[in-house]
Amino acid sequence: MSKTLYERLGGADGIARLVDDAVDAHLSNPKVKTRFENTKDIEHAKKMSREFFCAGAGGPETYTGRDMLTTHKGMNISEEEYVAVMDDILGAMTKNKLGADEQKDVLAILYSLKGDIIHV
Ligand code: HEM
C-alpha cells in the first residue's frame, strides 16, 4: 500500500521539524514577521500547528486547536502574506529534503484553506 503523506513527511518528528523551521522562517520574513512576533504564546501556536499538520496529513494525532476561520478572523491577512507563509513552508520542506511530490501535496492542502484565512 502506498505511504500516507504523514509517513512521507517523516511522521510526528518530521512534522515538528517542519513547523519549527517554518516558524523560524516567518520570524525572519519581513512580509509576516510582525504577525508572529506579536503572538502572545508562540509555543502554543506551534504545538497546535504540529497537531494540525499531523492530523491533516493522515497521522493518528487529534487537533485540539481552533478552526482556521476562528483563528485568523479579524487579522485581515492579505494574499501577499498568505503567499509569503506558503513560501516559508515550502522553503522549510526543501531544507528538510522533502521532494516535489510532498511539496505539491502540502501546497494543495494549504491552498484549500485559503478562503478561511485571507480577508476574514
Ligand atoms: C494555509 C495556511 C495556514 C495554516 C494551515 C495556518 C494554521 C494555523 C494554526 C493551526 C494555528 C494555531 C491555532 C490555535 O492556536 O488554535 C495558527 C495560528 C496563527 N496563524 Fe496561521 N495558518 C495559516 C496561514 C497564516 C497566515 C498567512 C498568517 C499571517 C501572515 C497566519 C498567522 C497566524 C498567527 C499570527 C497565529 C497565532 C494566533 C494566536 O495564537 O493568537 N497564519 N495558524
Side-chain angles (χ1 to χ4, degrees):
M1 217 175 83
S2 58
K3 284 189 174 181
T4 62
L5 180 59
Y6 178 78
E7 290 168 314
R8 291 190 284 134
L9 295 175
D13 289 347
I15 290 172
R17 282 193 296 275
L18 269 186
V19 169
D20 282 348
D21 288 343
V23 172
D24 284 351
H26 298 337
L27 287 167
S28 56
N29 184 336
K31 292 197 173 111
V32 293
K33 64 188 289 189
T34 52
R35 297 277 191 185
F36 295 90
E37 282 168 354
N38 292 333
T39 297
K40 270 199 217 96
D41 190 348
I42 193 78
E43 286 309 317
H44 179 77
K46 282 167 79 167
K47 182 172 188 282
M48 291 303 108
S49 297
R50 285 198 293 272
E51 284 182 6
F52 185 83
F53 281 101
C54 285
E61 289 79 2
T62 302
Y63 177 56
T64 60
R66 298 165 292 167
D67 64 64
M68 291 300 95
L69 183 58
T70 308
T71 301
H72 301 93
K73 204 169 179 71
M75 289 192 199
N76 198 21
I77 293 169
S78 69
E79 178 105 34
E80 193 187 14
E81 289 178 297
Y82 186 75
V83 171
V85 158
M86 293 212 288
D87 275 350
D88 287 344
I89 295 170
L90 293 181
M93 292 186 74
T94 301
K95 184 178 171 206
N96 284 277
K97 301 193 169 24
L98 293 163
D101 284 351
E102 283 69 32
Q103 298 203 18
K104 194 162 54 72
D105 290 352
V106 167
L107 200 59
I109 294 171
L110 295 177
Y111 200 74
S112 75
L113 300 167
K114 185 178 169 188
D116 283 349
I117 292 173
I118 69 166
H119 302 308
V120 291

